[in-house]
Amino acid sequence: MTSPLLARLNEPQLTAVTLPHISALILAGAGSGKTRVLTTRIAWLISTGQVGPSGVLAVTFTNKAAKEMLTRLSALVPVNVRSMWIGTFHGLCNRFLRMHWREAGLPQTFTIMDTQDQVSLIKRILKAHNIDDEKYPPKQMAWFIGSAKEEGLRPNAVEAFDDYTRKQVEIYQLYEATCQREGVVDFAELLLRSYEVLGKFEALREHYNARFKHILVDEFQDTNTLQYKWLRLLAGPQTAVLAVGDDDQSIYAFRGAKVANMQRFEHDFGPAKIIKLEQNYRSFGNILDAANALIRNNNGRLGKELWTDQGHGEPIRVFQGYSDGEEAAFVIDSVKTAMNDGVPLDEIAILYRSNAQSRVFEHGLFNARIPYRVYGGLRFFERAEIKHAMAYLRLINNPEDDNALLRVINFPPRGIGAKSVENLQAVSAGTGVTLWQAACAGGAGGRAQVAMAQFIGLIEGMRIATKNQPLPEIVRHLLDASGLKTHYATEKDGQDRVENLEELINAADNFLRETGGVIHVESPDGSVAEDQDAVTAFLAHASLEAGDTQAAEGRAALQMMTVHSAKGLEFDYVFITGLEEGLFPHDNSLNDDGGLEEERRLAYVAITRARKRLHMSYAQMRMLHGQTRYNVPSRFLDEIPAELLQWLSAKPKNLLAMEPHAPLGSDWGNPERSAFAQSIGSATRTDTGFRIGQQVSHAKFGHGVIINADGSGKNVQVEVNFAEHGIKRLALEYAKLTAI
């Protein structure tokens, strides 16, 4: 009689669950039931008496996944699964160190620091040793230390080839000494210290090698160098290691994940069996066929092909918009149609490559009164960097705004500490004036007064420099003058924040286009009482958009997220947006070794989130980083078979050339540039038949888009943004361009 545990398993799943005592690599495709295989394998081993609960160790990457595994196991086997070693790498290492704190050289009551605590400790160290925190930003130092630990490197093992790195190593040494003295550890230390204890104490290592007969690892493709080394130490000669992962979904190289660990598994844990879980229980066939075709373009894959018995389903809908605004309008119209067809809002997801893309969708959803939730992140106007920028804008507009002043008086850091701010607040409260008035009167006192005077000068200087300037130029100026962009550019993950700040220029530009920069304020009787200026109106608009449109927890809402955040999730309707060269795949990836293949894996993850209907879209023209950008469609669209796609607009080869466009965001208030752009468009259209924005082909450089031009007649020169070769300036008479 077949065990109830094995019911409803397909053949490869059954093989994985009932493996004999050997190591195995399970290649689990998206939606193939890997969590069921992991939990059922553990339940099968225990229920058949092959191992006791204490002989199993299972590692997951999130607390949520660990809790889900424990919940499922509780329903499958009649044992106290809470006593089992199931958890994240950090959780299991914490458990290990609590038991072996003496061997680890830690106090029994050691404390774990979160990221904020870690940065605060580094700030204390820098101050105590008179180290410039602008040259060595605390957040950047935290990243440096964490990266070294994830490679298993103590300060004496970090290679330093220049003075700057040598100073970073010195700070790392000071940090370690402080942590040891205070009895605290960071997250990376949990794993590194556990690894070192296992390596140093042979008897202890042999104890755990003998204890854990079975080690199971989820999301194996996301393991980093140190996690892999820790697993190798923990697994003894008689330990069966079951690694479950998907090399096609390895998208966290920026966090240190090493997809090569999957390829090394058979060598290091062999002899090992490889089992492929390829039947997908999530998506229709056309979606899976598109994902398979795309990912085949990557080299060095372990290889698998997703399939389903649910039928082909609908073709993938592809939309090409003239602009990012038109793309957003299409998505929101499609969402409305889906809602009218009865699709639940929380079964609809908008995915984007960069956080900055969310702003135009948020704006459209706000206007359409469609509740939405930004998964794994904040709404655009709630992001810290945007709130900092808006605080500067509020101060330029009204220096008496105390809340705005408190937010940025020492951000970016300028030497105005908490004590000085307290002094300023005391003067303000005691004299009944605003903080700005108290600051101008010298209320901070002490050494901070010089920094305070510089801050006052900065705000006054920005106000003078932007007087009578259009709103987008005011925003552009304050982002540069405040030092916000420079500050965030030094952080590990600062590029995303810089892109968001540049998107704020686009938000200001878009606001002017829609409203003319004026909001009419009505009196109670309905008559117009006054017109607000553009800055005041924009500040009000931002506050309203940051209002209650984002649904509260528990209320149905459309889901918005980056593709990275979407991993592990699934939805009935999915919109993958911004499929343009330079955005998806991202510009940064094209310069990194293996970067393009990781971007393709990211696109594969995005496609396989969809159950029933998949939309893909891109814009010919996009306001990106505060400037107008003419785009070539993403190569990923070309890698999907044409028969799987349904174009909801003209295919690229049939595109009508775009009309000349004077980008308000980048050339606002410059009539010469606007006239220049118009004259170029007119000249090139009548003299040569080409226009700015038109897609063309070149014999050597391939497919591209004309982004600029000058001259007339036989002297016309054009700048073309080529997909493979970047921007080239060509003499039109000799370039032999072909219109597409």
Side-chain angles (χ1 to χ4, degrees), residues 86 120 222 232 237 272 327 353 374 383 411 438 490 503 513 525 561 587 631 639 660 671 673 692 694 698 734-735:
I86 297 177
S120 296
D222 293 333
R232 288 194 66 191
E327 178 191 36
R353 176 63 181 84
V374 178
R383 293 167 191 165
F411 195 91
T490 65
E503 181 63 23
R513 290 175 185 273
D525 63 5
M561 66 198 74
D587 275 331
N631 305 307
E639 293 173 359
R673 174 68 182 98
I692 293 175
Q694 185 166 9
H698 185 273
Y734 304 107

Side-chain angles (χ1 to χ4, degrees), residues 233-254:
L233 275 185
L234 208 54
Q238 304 306 315
T239 302
V241 179
L242 186 80
V244 182
D246 183 359
D247 56 328
D248 291 333
Q249 294 190 72
S250 180
I251 59 173
Y252 296 122
F254 66 95

Side-chain angles (χ1 to χ4, degrees), residues 572-592:
D572 284 348
Y573 280 33
V574 170
F575 296 85
I576 306 174
T577 63
L579 279 161
E580 300 138 25
E581 286 293 307
L583 184 56
F584 199 2
H586 200 280
D587 275 331
N588 295 344
S589 71
L590 303 180
N591 300 320
D592 295 338

Side-chain angles (χ1 to χ4, degrees), residues 225 228 232 259-269:
T225 299
Y228 188 81
R232 288 194 66 191
V259 66
N261 288 346
M262 291 196 72
Q263 293 155 347
R264 293 169 52 190
F265 181 88
E266 191 172 11
H267 176 267
D268 293 337
F269 293 95

Side-chain angles (χ1 to χ4, degrees), residues 610-674:
R611 295 193 195 103
K612 297 179 180 178
R613 181 177 292 181
L614 176 63
H615 301 77
M616 299 174 130
S617 61
Y618 65 94
Q620 290 177 306
M621 179 190 74
R622 182 179 298 276
M623 289 290 288
L624 199 64
H625 313 326
Q627 296 185 343
T628 300
R629 175 169 173 162
Y630 296 100
N631 305 307
V632 175
S634 171
R635 69 190 71 194
F636 298 153
L637 287 169
D638 291 334
E639 293 173 359
I640 297 173
E643 62 270 18
L644 300 178
L645 306 178
Q646 177 186 348
W647 289 84
L648 303 183
S649 54
K651 294 184 182 180
K653 65 181 181 180
N654 295 322
L655 292 181
L656 296 175
M658 294 162 60
E659 289 299 320
H661 175 71
L664 297 179
S666 56
D667 295 293
W668 186 274
N670 185 347
E672 292 182 6
R673 174 68 182 98
S674 299

Side-chain angles (χ1 to χ4, degrees), residues 30-31 278-293 305-317 343 570-574 604 606-614 644:
E278 298 173 299
Q279 184 173 358
N280 177 283
Y281 294 93
R282 174 188 301 163
S283 308
F284 284 123
N286 282 339
I287 294 170
L288 300 181
D289 290 345
N292 288 331
E305 291 280 313
L306 296 178
W307 63 275
T308 183
D309 59 8
Q310 299 184 76
H312 293 294
E314 302 174 353
I316 297 164
R317 292 160 166 81
V343 180
E570 55 187 78
F571 306 92
D572 284 348
Y573 280 33
V574 170
Y604 175 86
I607 291 170
T608 53
R609 298 312 92 196
R611 295 193 195 103
K612 297 179 180 178
R613 181 177 292 181
L614 176 63
L644 300 178

Side-chain angles (χ1 to χ4, degrees), residues 292-417:
N292 288 331
L294 178 80
I295 204 64
R296 282 189 211 111
N297 291 278
N298 274 4
N299 297 315
R301 297 172 59 232
L302 294 171
K304 64 183 180 314
E305 291 280 313
L306 296 178
W307 63 275
T308 183
D309 59 8
Q310 299 184 76
H312 293 294
E314 302 174 353
I316 297 164
R317 292 160 166 81
V318 183
F319 177 80
Q320 167 210 267
Y322 171 77
S323 65
D324 49 354
E326 190 172 282
E327 178 191 36
F330 158 74
V331 170
I332 290 164
D333 284 345
S334 300
V335 168
K336 290 177 180 177
T337 301
M339 292 169 63
N340 291 335
D341 290 342
V343 180
L345 260 183
D346 49 12
E347 284 296 346
I348 304 173
I350 300 174
L351 310 185
Y352 36 82
R353 176 63 181 84
S354 167
N355 263 311
Q357 290 172 255
S358 78
R359 198 271 312 165
V360 67
F361 293 108
E362 289 188 55
H363 179 63
L365 291 166
F366 172 80
N367 288 339
R369 297 293 182 266
I370 297 175
Y372 68 92
R373 184 175 295 115
V374 178
Y375 182 91
L378 296 169
R379 289 173 288 178
F380 183 77
F381 284 108
E382 285 186 341
R383 293 167 191 165
E385 61 275 18
I386 298 302
K387 294 178 82 169
H388 287 319
M390 296 301 282
Y392 276 107
L393 187 60
R394 286 160 59 188
L395 280 178
I396 293 172
N397 194 49
N398 173 24
E400 315 300 334
D401 187 332
D402 282 0
N403 282 337
L405 184 143
L406 286 172
R407 185 172 191 92
V408 296
I409 193 170
N410 195 42
F411 195 91
R414 55 176 59 88
I416 302 175

Side-chain angles (χ1 to χ4, degrees), residues 10 17 197 229 383 517 631 643 687:
N10 64 36
V17 166
V197 169
K229 288 180 176 179
R383 293 167 191 165
N631 305 307
E643 62 270 18
D687 294 350

